Amino acid sequence: PGNVFPGPLQDKKLVLLLLVANFIVLPLVAYLLATSLDLPQGISIGLILMAAAAGVPFLPRILQVGGDNYSIAGVIALFLTVLSVVYIPFILYALLPGGTVNLPLIILALVLLLVVPLVTGLIVRSRKEPAAIKFGPWLSKISYAAIIVSFGAVFWVYFSELQQIMGTRGFL
């Protein structure tokens, strides 16, 4: 009977390091930063949630620079993403008052926005590698454009709220 975990996840030291760094150290650092700067509640929660997301915002770039270690990076990305989908709702439940969190809806959103695209990309890459390589640069450009448009849209929609935190520690 072989190990059920793929390649890099068989390395217990690596898995322990990933778990501790991504699910204990980073959220704890974010919590300490939020409390030491006495940030407003919404900003504190956002900072802690970003830290609890186990590298999710940076996974596409990590996979891109993985080069020859693409499969290792992909397995780690999938592992961290799936764990984040389970972990983030618990963090939200701990940070927000009891009745304000709709956990099933949050879990569904996380699965649809994080797990499905990552798994789809990994499946396409494994089954249609030439096509993935051919369209990869275009999809990368579209992805970067979407990030810029999303950032601009958030900035535009929440401009008045952003003005309120200008000059405060929350802006930092």
Side-chain angles (χ1 to χ4, degrees):
N3 196 329
V4 296
F5 295 108
L9 298 183
Q10 292 179 14
D11 183 345
K12 292 176 184 166
K13 185 177 178 181
L14 174 64
V15 170
L16 183 63
L17 182 63
L18 286 169
L19 293 173
V20 169
N22 286 287
F23 297 107
I24 296 172
V25 174
L26 286 174
L28 181 61
V29 167
Y31 173 79
L32 293 173
L33 184 62
T35 54
S36 67
L37 291 175
D38 194 30
L39 297 176
Q41 182 184 18
I43 294 172
S44 295
I45 290 170
L47 179 64
I48 295 166
L49 284 175
M50 284 300 295
V56 170
F58 307 104
L59 286 176
R61 186 67 185 141
I62 292 168
L63 289 173
Q64 223 175 24
V65 299
D68 293 337
N69 297 325
Y70 179 82
S71 62
I72 292 171
V75 167
I76 290 171
L78 185 60
F79 176 67
L80 291 177
T81 300
V82 170
L83 289 178
S84 291
V85 167
V86 173
Y87 184 65
I88 288 172
F90 287 106
I91 294 293
L92 265 174
Y93 193 78
L95 293 173
L96 295 173
T100 61
V101 179
N102 184 342
L103 288 179
L105 184 61
I106 290 169
I107 292 169
L108 177 64
L110 290 170
V111 167
L112 290 175
L113 295 172
L114 298 176
V115 176
V116 170
L118 183 59
V119 170
T120 302
L122 291 172
I123 290 171
V124 168
R125 173 75 184 220
S126 71
R127 293 187 179 167
K128 304 284 186 187
E129 190 167 355
I133 291 170
K134 179 180 178 182
F135 293 110
W138 287 100
L139 293 173
S140 181
K141 290 174 185 173
I142 291 169
S143 172
Y144 285 124
I147 289 169
I148 292 168
V149 168
S150 297
F151 180 77
V154 167
F155 186 79
W156 182 58
V157 169
Y158 292 103
F159 184 73
S160 62
E161 286 85 354
L162 289 171
Q163 285 179 315
Q164 293 173 4
I165 64 168
M166 295 283 191
T168 68
R169 286 176 266 184
F171 188 71
L172 174 66

